[in-house]
Amino acid sequence: MPFAAALARHTDQNPHAPAFHMEGRVFTFQELALCAGQIVSAFGKLTVNAQNENVLPGATKLIALEIGNHPLFAPAFVAATSGGHCVALIDPHLPEATRAAMRRQLRPDIVVRADGEGLLLGTPLADKGTAFAAGTSDDSSPLAIGADDEPFLVVFTSGTTGMPKAIVRDRGSWRRSLKTGQDFFGIDSDTRTFAPGPLAHGLTLYALAETLVAGAEFVGMAHFDAARASETIAAMDVRRLVLVPTMLRRLCASSSALTSVQKITVAGAKLTPADREAAAATFPRADIVEYYGASELGFISVAGSGDTASATAVGRAFPCVGLVVLDEGERPLPAGETGTIFVDSDLIALGYIGAGDGAGLRRVGKLATVGDLGFLNADGTLHLVGRSGGMVLSGGNNIYPQEVEATLADHADVHAAFVLGLDHPDLGSELVAVIEPNAVTIDRAALDRHLDIHLPRYKHPRRIWLCRALPMTQSGKVAAGTLKQWIVDGHDALEPFV
């Protein structure tokens, strides 16, 4: 069912049921629909008689939401995805230079930013703007239902060059995904869902969409804090959690038994046996489901408690998804042999906006891949053994080491840098770096300021070593294996940089 149609049905049938709860602000379904309609009206006034100059084809208006986990996120998102609109989600915690580059690439018709408890709506090209506060306008436009092939969502994923890649989806792919997911996960109007992650990222955004379509209440947080999250779960009788493993671990470490939770959905990294044991103690009534997916591909595989015994197993194909592993010649491989994971699915994104960086989504006929490596067992269990482009998955965040290396090497006192991920019991992988300096000394505070300007905090190496001469292979590349061994051994060639 289309998003707008589902909201209209819940507004008619359960107008006073809570729909969206963020930092003390609660919207009922009726209030959500009204506020979204008021924002649609405000959008129309800003762009009346304006010609489209955004990057999308056709007459679609592109609305950039740059507000993060704001109390008005839900109505703004609903308005920005009304028929004829496409929403682009820009994380406000990214460096301003990165966000400016994203806006230049998209050329949005309207940019929405936070303004205290309200919003600022601006048209960059016409240099017009207006403030919006919930309940202050009598003008409201109906929410329109767009066509399946209409672009409606742009999300960003990490790129190898430092510039996030813009992925565009049509309405049909999400409508099919929401229907399949609702049936599979068993979500209904009683499934109050707590998803404390950033709404600019796919996991939490999708949790919001599937919860509202089911007629249930979505609960979010401006910033994740384990103690506050535990209090929220207990006080609000939360039935379902959607989060990354790092958040689940921290909840388990700071909480006593929370018996209201019946379902836990985890994505972004694989749970360990210890994670599942801790979760079973903290959430004794909850079934835990992990899924492996990609922003470009949607759901790929899903795993329950008995499907992840192997350290690499990520479950079986998600309903309505086909899996195949191909070799370098794009030929199917037999069970047990490692190659590139491809999916056959109706949930795949349209593609990237712009030229991209040569990595990521690739199609072979009706199959698609993002370059992840793995193999299939004879029973259909998928094993993930490598991420595309050497990507590091840390705390649920995708990080390309090349981007961090380039940023470090751009500092005047750094000659070269090598960035890698090391196994970490909480984060999955811990991002670390080894730097070959230009000078005898490096100002650590200056280097940290340099990283703050160019990278979000989650892309900063958690540990750094100095190395006067990075070990090299005969082909002139950094000897990654040697460096990893030096780190493990505490080799004298590496000096902790504190």
Side-chain angles (χ1 to χ4, degrees):
M1 176 179 290
F3 197 54
L7 291 179
R9 186 187 69 184
H10 300 316
T11 299
D12 288 341
Q13 296 178 352
N14 298 291
H16 304 299
F20 180 73
H21 190 128
M22 178 68 72
E23 298 297 336
R25 179 65 164 95
V26 182
F27 282 90
T28 65
F29 278 97
Q30 184 178 66
E31 292 167 337
L32 175 59
L34 176 62
C35 187
Q38 291 169 344
I39 296 175
V40 169
S41 179
F43 287 164
K45 291 177 182 178
L46 278 176
T47 57
V48 64
N49 299 324
Q51 292 187 343
N52 279 22
E53 296 192 41
N54 66 64
V55 72
L56 298 174
T60 300
K61 296 293 185 185
L62 182 57
I63 317 294
L65 285 192
E66 201 170 326
I67 60 176
N69 288 22
H70 190 276
L72 294 183
F73 181 93
F77 177 76
V78 171
T81 55
S82 181
H85 295 164
C86 178
V87 65
L89 297 175
I90 297 177
D91 188 344
H93 297 102
L94 291 169
E96 169 55 30
T98 302
R99 287 181 280 130
M102 295 158 80
R103 293 191 294 269
R104 285 195 300 271
Q105 180 189 27
L106 298 178
R107 304 192 301 276
D109 300 285
I110 296 175
V111 176
V112 182
R113 295 185 174 91
D115 181 30
E117 294 184 356
L119 303 173
L120 287 176
L121 284 53
T123 55
L125 296 177
D127 197 25
K128 294 167 57 180
T130 186
F132 178 86
T136 60
S137 173
D138 294 328
D139 294 331
S140 181
S141 298
L143 301 176
I145 297 174
D148 274 2
D149 60 355
E150 182 179 273
F152 93 106
L153 174 65
V154 176
V155 293
F156 288 86
T157 189
S158 294
T160 60
T161 61
M163 177 63 182
K165 293 189 293 188
I167 304 165
V168 60
R169 282 196 166 276
D170 63 20
R171 297 181 187 276
S173 67
W174 253 43
R175 287 170 180 169
R176 291 186 291 271
S177 180
L178 287 167
K179 176 63 172 69
T180 303
Q182 184 174 345
D183 293 343
F184 179 82
F185 291 115
I187 305 169
D188 59 27
S189 59
D190 292 326
T191 313
R192 179 180 287 126
T193 296
F194 180 47
L199 282 159
H201 295 184
L203 175 64
T204 312
L205 179 72
Y206 190 84
L208 169 66
E210 64 184 354
T211 304
L212 294 180
V213 167
E217 181 181 8
F218 175 92
V219 183
M221 294 184 76
H223 304 284
F224 177 72
D225 175 87
R228 282 186 58 221
S230 178
E231 292 171 0
T232 297
I233 293 167
M236 296 195 64
D237 195 33
V238 167
R239 302 298 177 85
R240 181 181 183 225
L241 304 180
V242 180
L243 67 185
V244 297
T246 301
M247 291 179 178
L248 181 60
R249 293 182 194 114
R250 292 176 183 172
L251 268 175
C252 292
S254 63
S255 307
S256 54
L258 295 167
T259 57
S260 68
V261 178
Q262 299 171 1
K263 305 173 187 288
I264 300 175
T265 300
V266 177
K270 183 177 166 61
L271 294 176
T272 66
D275 293 335
R276 284 187 169 271
E277 183 177 346
T282 306
F283 305 99
R285 298 181 58 202
D287 292 326
I288 302 174
V289 173
E290 300 177 65
Y291 74 79
Y292 155 57
S295 298
E296 298 91 334
L297 303 177
F299 293 117
I300 297 175
S301 66
V302 62
S305 59
D307 300 324
T308 57
S310 166
T312 57
V314 290
R316 294 176 173 82
F318 199 82
C320 303
V321 174
L323 298 177
V324 63
V325 176
L326 304 183
D327 65 13
E328 293 182 355
E330 298 175 352
R331 296 177 294 266
L333 287 167
E337 291 196 21
T338 297
T340 301
I341 301 167
F342 282 80
V343 303
D344 179 2
S345 170
D346 290 332
L347 313 180
I348 300 169
L350 293 173
Y352 300 119
I353 292 175
D357 56 5
L361 182 65
R362 179 167 65 92
R363 297 178 185 271
V364 176
K366 64 178 182 178
L367 302 176
T369 185
V370 289
D372 288 348
L373 303 176
F375 63 89
L376 284 164
N377 276 356
D379 66 359
T381 299
L382 179 66
H383 291 253
L384 179 65
V385 299
R387 290 279 183 168
S388 60
M391 187 177 72
V392 174
L393 195 61
S394 180
N397 295 301
N398 298 338
I399 307 169
Y400 284 97
Q402 300 98 312
E403 176 190 3
V404 185
E405 288 169 358
T407 301
L408 287 168
D410 195 45
H411 189 274
D413 292 334
V414 176
H415 176 68
F418 186 81
V419 175
L420 66 156
L422 299 178
D423 290 342
H424 190 277
D426 182 28
L427 299 172
S429 289
E430 178 185 37
L431 196 72
V432 304
V434 181
I435 290 174
E436 182 177 323
N438 272 325
V440 175
T441 60
I442 296 182
D443 184 338
R444 179 58 191 263
L447 181 65
D448 288 341
R449 288 194 297 272
H450 174 77
L451 291 171
D452 284 336
I453 291 170
H454 296 286
L455 295 173
R457 178 66 59 177
Y458 71 82
K459 292 184 180 180
H460 292 201
R462 290 169 58 86
R463 288 189 288 166
I464 298 177
W465 291 269
L466 300 180
C467 181
R468 296 302 162 184
L470 290 173
M472 310 296 286
T473 66
Q474 289 185 342
S475 62
K477 297 180 180 179
V478 175
T482 300
L483 266 184
K484 288 182 182 179
Q485 194 61 52
W486 283 2
I487 292 172
V488 170
D489 295 341
H491 197 281
D492 289 340
L494 301 181
E495 176 188 348
F497 189 30
V498 295

